[in-house]
Amino acid sequence: MTELAAAIAVVGAALAAAFGNQAVITKTIESMTRQPELSKDLKATMFVGIALIEAMPIFAVLVALILVFVK
């Protein structure tokens, strides 16, 4: 049962990160079309945001591994 809980946690975190990345990238592209002169700054901010969003599934995998292998 622990393995199932770990798998659900990883899948949930991956889906949440995918939706989060989609939202960040969509808003960044919209902002770039409105203000092209800020595109360099917007890209840098987008990459920082994506990195923070992608940290969540990594932590979920770590917690899942702890749940599976530490008994």
Side-chain angles (χ1 to χ4, degrees), residues 24 28-29 32 38-52:
V24 168
T28 302
I29 291 172
M32 285 180 187
L38 292 177
S39 66
K40 185 175 180 182
D41 295 333
L42 291 170
K43 275 191 233 179
T45 305
M46 178 190 72
F47 287 129
V48 170
I50 288 174
L52 292 173

Side-chain angles (χ1 to χ4, degrees), residues 23-70:
V24 168
I25 292 169
T26 301
K27 292 300 180 179
T28 302
I29 291 172
E30 287 176 7
S31 300
M32 285 180 187
T33 57
R34 289 189 184 124
Q35 296 183 332
E37 66 275 1
L38 292 177
S39 66
K40 185 175 180 182
D41 295 333
L42 291 170
K43 275 191 233 179
T45 305
M46 178 190 72
F47 287 129
V48 170
I50 288 174
L52 292 173
I53 290 170
E54 285 298 322
M56 184 181 59
I58 294 170
F59 289 134
V61 168
L62 290 175
V63 170
L65 289 173
I66 290 170
L67 283 174
V68 170
F69 291 113
V70 177

